[in-house]
Amino acid sequence: MVALWALAQKYAEQWLLWLVVDLVCTILYIYKQIPFTAALYGFYTIMAVLGYRQWLKNIPSTAD
């Protein structure tokens, strides 16, 4: 819920929340031996890293 709220507010840090959630889910699904779902959440983890990097690139510099 917090990550969705941060997404709606367009905070770049929301990607870090998604990264943590997806990483934890990946580990839990590996532990529970559900490989396809673990792979899906591993993909989500990679997308969260790439999304965060992209958002940081698109943030205008505030240095004047």
Side-chain angles (χ1 to χ4, degrees):
M1 294 299 290
V2 174
L4 285 175
W5 175 83
L7 176 63
Q9 300 301 317
K10 298 186 182 191
Y11 291 130
E13 292 80 11
Q14 57 94 14
W15 288 106
L16 298 176
L17 295 171
W18 284 118
L19 177 66
V20 170
V21 169
D22 294 336
L23 189 59
V24 168
C25 287
T26 302
I27 293 167
L28 287 176
Y29 286 125
I30 290 171
Y31 176 75
K32 291 289 187 177
Q33 299 178 355
I34 307 173
F36 295 114
T37 307
L40 179 63
Y41 276 91
F43 176 72
Y44 291 159
T45 302
I46 293 168
M47 293 304 294
V49 169
L50 296 175
Y52 182 61
R53 290 178 58 197
Q54 186 66 36
W55 273 47
L56 288 180
K57 228 190 297 186
N58 290 335
I59 293 175
S61 177
T62 57
D64 292 324

